[in-house]
Amino acid sequence: MNTSTLIHNLNLPQREAVTAEPCHQLILAGAGSGKTRVLVHRIAYLIKELGSAPHQIMAVTFTNKAAREMRERLQSLLGEGAGSRFGGLWVGTFHGIAHKLLKMHWREAKLPENFQILDSDDQLRVIKRIYQALQIDEKRWPQRQAQYFINGCKDEGQRANHLPDSHDPYSATMKMVYSAYEETCQQGGLVDFAELLLRSHELWLNSPELLKHYQERFVHLLVDEFQDTNTVQYAWLRVLAGNACWVTGVGDDDQSIYGWRGAKIENIQQFEKDFSDTVVTRLEQNYRSTNTILSAANAVIANNTSRLGKKLWTDGEDGVPIDLYSAFNEQDEARYIVETISQWQKQGNDLASAAILYRSNAQSRVLEEAFLREGMPYRIYGGQRFYERMEIKNALAYARLLLNRNDDPAFERVINTPTRGIGEKSINTLRLTAREQGCSLFDAAKWLVNNNALPARAMACVKGFIQLLVELEGGIDSLGLAEQIEHIINASGLFEFHEKEKGERGQARIENLQELVAACKAFKREESDRTALAEFIDSAALDAGDQQAEEYQDAVQMMTLHSAKGLEFPLVFIAGTEEGLFPHKMSADSPEGLEEERRLCYVGITRAMKKLVLTHAESRRLYGSETYNPLSRFIREIPSDFIQEVRLKSVVKRPANVSTHTSNAKKAALSDAGDGQFKLGQRVKHNKFGEGVILQFEGARVHIVFETAGVKVLSLAVAKLAPL
């Protein structure tokens, strides 16, 4: 093999990255710029042209799928027999390589030889046992909250004994659980996923000779998706690299969208400072999207200030304009999307070539209903359908019990959800009693309580659950359907339970429960001789029973924007492009959060290959309430030359402003133009409060988050703001 084979069909920046002499490299690889190809060709070049031994190279990825793809490409590039001749090369995920190290050096890591890996469910079971042993109130401190806390600490490289003592009840309780969890895992030889990285990092720090061995072995360390590394991963890499290993980081700071799960964009931003004489290569030529789509993405991401700098381009066609559809409401939005995909299919395209992206999982419900009505196959990528989600099934189980106390599956599903101290032993007693008495679980529970046939603590808990069902039923007949469901969610403790579950997952569950209330408000009854609640439950069950498309079936792809990273589709819809939804209201109050939301928009736009469609609703019933939010600032950041506004079968070339059929009152309420002088997301300076970022316009007032003074609401007429 000669050099020409390895650099064949590579563009100039790709060639420079592949053929660089040994050095620290930061390869800023834009969306669709061929980063995996560059990474694989770089490894092959190191072996074939620079004479590096395979065992001197470690390549780290973030998914097993990416690791497998890298191995397959290397084998293809290096020829037949590569698998055996280059077996010393380490290619794997952070967790996979850490596991390999701990298996090889279990004594130094202070682990038993046959230590076991805990998955997420197993980890939660261990935490549940600790809660029981420590008699911790799960209603006050949900077990998943403790799981999130423990994993978050490990991702930051913190052990329980690193945490300061605190008089704060939450911090003190979490530290106590973490400490007991560590002790339980050490005694049982159990290692969770976060522990793999932390324990292997400690292996380096506590075993200098072993660290020296690996620092001398690995000459080249290549890391994919560098922008997604967390604190402990970055520390692990830096310690292993030492002063002699050449590090190549491949990533894109503009696609750093996982801050909510621990990823630190600062790691890629400070690469040049931490690794001296770094050579930076920018891969900016895109092989995926049209020039129109790339121009829109560049315009949006340019509004982020803390960037390493990169501009995507293509030598391909300009392509068609981006469509912007202003729907009356979420139902109209869903109808338009389904109609557009139907036309796309009639033009000879597969359904699977179309994808709908959305910021919140709760948005999927209305879209799913529209597809079901039209009989169009769809698939939820990386998630569950709305009525199959755990929190929705729990809420509906409570509702089913109000209609029929003898509904055993519903009873068993929620008797301990939220957790109320009714363990598996007590539930088994209920099952046995029901079989012996030939009755339902509810009647068995009443019989056991009336006959004092349970231990005192279990007796009180079961009695409390029976009382809860009685209280839920009280006065519910006088409420409307949506109010009934809202009452069930609140009185059962489900809302409070998930509110304590920190992170993106907990927020998504809350939003889904709120969306269930919205579904009830929009529900249209067909019968009059049954209660609305009974009819709604049956309708939801039938929707859940309509099977999602099989893997082999041609189907529309639906997913969150986070799930879409790494994927591409000829036709892409980004639905719900409104302030408060995208950017999400939980992120828009901080400059860092807003910049991550903008990166998420950039990721969404660059998933589109040929056609991009943006939709927003002038009014949207979401999370149980109706909102009137203006068009997302991200869409307003796209130059109007690239957008055409779609109007009910017609197309009007125009800037992306508030829709022409919005009422004057709504225009005033949604105003975010600031008389044209300022715009959302703009950095400004105030004489007293210093520098800040514009969050929202409210008539003649503006909401600004200042770096030192927090959020202030100022009058545009007197604030004397200076644009930066």
Side-chain angles (χ1 to χ4, degrees), residues 432-676:
L432 180 62
T433 303
R435 284 198 299 270
E436 290 175 346
Q437 300 283 342
C439 63
S440 67
L441 290 173
F442 178 77
D443 287 338
K446 287 200 301 182
W447 187 91
L448 289 168
V449 168
N450 292 336
N451 289 277
N452 293 317
L454 287 170
R457 187 179 176 202
M459 178 81 68
C461 294
V462 171
K463 188 175 182 180
F465 180 63
I466 293 172
Q467 184 60 34
L468 170 64
L469 295 181
V470 173
E471 292 171 356
L472 280 176
E473 193 172 17
I476 202 168
D477 290 340
S478 62
L479 301 175
L481 175 60
E483 288 74 21
Q484 287 179 335
I485 291 294
E486 197 166 21
H487 170 68
I488 288 168
I489 291 170
N490 288 322
S492 66
L494 287 174
F495 191 88
E496 183 183 7
F497 178 65
H498 293 303
E499 202 172 31
K500 291 179 180 178
E501 188 179 350
K502 290 188 175 180
E504 187 91 359
R505 177 183 290 181
Q507 180 62 32
R509 294 200 195 284
I510 290 170
E511 291 174 353
N512 285 334
L513 288 172
Q514 292 170 332
E515 182 61 15
L516 179 62
V517 177
C520 292
K521 290 180 179 177
F523 181 66
K524 292 180 174 60
R525 298 187 61 186
E526 295 181 0
E527 302 176 28
S528 58
D529 58 340
R530 304 173 64 217
T531 67
L533 184 59
E535 196 174 340
F536 178 79
I537 289 172
D538 286 349
S539 174
L542 291 171
D543 273 356
D546 283 333
Q547 291 302 307
Q548 214 175 156
E550 300 293 340
E551 284 298 318
Y552 60 82
Q553 187 178 5
D554 184 33
V556 179
Q557 309 295 301
M558 292 173 59
M559 66 198 73
T560 64
L561 283 149
H562 283 100
S563 297
K565 187 170 177 289
L567 303 177
E568 57 185 42
F569 304 92
L571 172 62
V572 168
F573 296 82
I574 302 181
T577 56
E578 301 135 35
E579 289 292 311
L581 184 55
F582 190 38
H584 196 281
K585 59 186 178 182
M586 298 293 288
S587 303
D589 285 344
S590 75
E592 295 81 10
L594 187 58
E595 291 212 345
E596 180 156 323
E597 289 285 295
R598 187 175 280 109
R599 293 194 292 270
L600 190 57
C601 183
Y602 174 83
V603 166
I605 292 172
T606 54
R607 299 311 93 194
M609 300 167 69
K610 295 180 179 179
K611 180 69 179 177
L612 175 63
V613 181
L614 308 170
T615 65
H616 71 106
E618 292 182 0
S619 69
R620 181 181 299 275
R621 186 173 290 281
L622 190 66
Y623 315 145
S625 60
E626 187 141 4
T627 58
Y628 298 90
N629 291 325
L631 182 66
S632 170
R633 71 191 74 189
F634 302 151
I635 310 309
R636 293 182 180 278
E637 290 167 357
I638 300 174
S640 60
D641 292 347
F642 303 119
I643 289 183
Q644 62 181 10
E645 190 161 353
V646 180
R647 289 254 168 244
L648 300 176
K649 308 290 186 185
S650 65
V651 174
V652 182
K653 186 80 175 181
R654 53 174 280 118
N657 291 320
V658 175
S659 305
T660 54
H661 60 278
T662 304
S663 69
N664 290 334
K666 282 186 185 175
K667 283 183 182 179
L670 306 182
S671 173
D672 63 352
D675 293 331

Side-chain angles (χ1 to χ4, degrees), residues 336-347:
Y336 169 74
I337 290 173
V338 172
E339 284 186 5
T340 304
I341 294 175
S342 180
Q343 290 299 316
W344 173 261
Q345 186 183 32
K346 289 175 182 176
Q347 293 167 9

